[in-house]
Amino acid sequence: MIDLEGAMASRTYTLFRNAILAEQQVTCVCEGRRRELCPNIIGTDKSGEEAVLAWQFAGESSGSLPQWRCLKLANVSGARARDGRWHEGGSHRSTQTCVTNIDLDINVDVRKLR
């Protein structure tokens, strides 16, 4: 797990990280909306805040679904991991900038090991 400048990772961070390792879905509330996600990359953003890049496949959104979501984990509540079909996001048209200090990337650290 990355060093969060001497701080322990939050419980939410640990839940999302474990969900990536187990390829589990996560349900949560972020920005007042219920979200159903498959987290792909976790770490910290450019300001050092815990962040996750996830594929939102269901739930509530201000735009159309499915779509990529960059979540600051400090804004997430009620996170729960669950078993379910893994949903894949489409390819990126540009390099992701959500997580600048990557702790875990499902495509590099999890699936490559199989």
Side-chain angles (χ1 to χ4, degrees), residues 19 31 37 60 69 112:
E31 299 172 353
L37 314 156
E60 301 170 327
R69 285 274 177 222
K112 187 175 179 180

Side-chain angles (χ1 to χ4, degrees), residues 10-68:
S10 70
R11 288 176 34 186
T12 302
Y13 185 99
T14 301
L15 182 138
F16 272 86
R17 189 178 196 281
N18 290 338
I20 291 171
L21 289 169
E23 292 188 53
Q24 289 182 305
Q25 299 175 2
V26 174
T27 61
C28 66
V29 174
C30 186
E31 299 172 353
R33 292 186 170 96
R34 184 185 57 77
R35 306 196 187 262
E36 297 179 39
L37 314 156
C38 288
N40 281 249
I41 300 174
I42 193 166
T44 56
D45 65 12
K46 62 185 173 195
S47 64
E49 292 185 64
E50 296 174 338
V52 67
L53 179 66
W55 183 249
Q56 183 177 349
F57 60 90
E60 301 170 327
S61 175
S62 60
S64 62
L65 290 176
Q67 66 174 285
W68 287 105

